Amino acid sequence: MNPYLTPTRSCAGCNLKAPKHQLVRIVRTKSGAVDLDLDYKKFGRGVYVCGIECFQIALRKKRFDYKLRAQINREDLNTIGQILESKR
């Protein structure tokens, strides 16, 4: 595949630009639920992070609220953080 055509996204924690499939996607659906999108196919507003370290940086700087354009429930984000920690 042509490297100029690969979709790139930026990490919410460290602002690194990387190919989309090297990052972890977190999605907010229309109902307001926040979940991991491991297959990159869920419909909704998404934000990308490199891993658990960048997830914690983005959580501390409240970038999920900004990038997902909504007030995000901290329990949902803590659950996602635990899942990312277990996949480390």
Side-chain angles (χ1 to χ4, degrees), residues 55 58-66 70-81:
F55 175 83
L59 186 63
R60 189 172 57 246
K61 293 185 176 183
K62 299 182 180 177
R63 290 188 180 163
F64 291 111
D65 293 340
Y66 176 74
Q71 187 70 27
I72 305 302
N73 188 358
R74 295 294 167 222
E75 289 89 25
D76 293 342
L77 289 175
N78 289 335
T79 304
I80 291 171

Side-chain angles (χ1 to χ4, degrees), residues 10 17 22 28 40-41 44 62 82:
S10 60
K17 290 192 185 283
Q22 290 180 2
R28 180 186 57 88
Y40 303 95
K41 294 183 180 183
K62 299 182 180 177
Q82 291 173 353

Side-chain angles (χ1 to χ4, degrees), residues 43-72:
F43 185 74
R45 185 92 186 151
V47 63
Y48 293 85
V49 291
C50 295
I52 187 65
E53 294 86 12
C54 291
F55 175 83
Q56 291 170 348
I57 291 169
L59 186 63
R60 189 172 57 246
K61 293 185 176 183
K62 299 182 180 177
R63 290 188 180 163
F64 291 111
D65 293 340
Y66 176 74
K67 299 256 184 189
L68 294 175
R69 297 182 182 170
Q71 187 70 27
I72 305 302

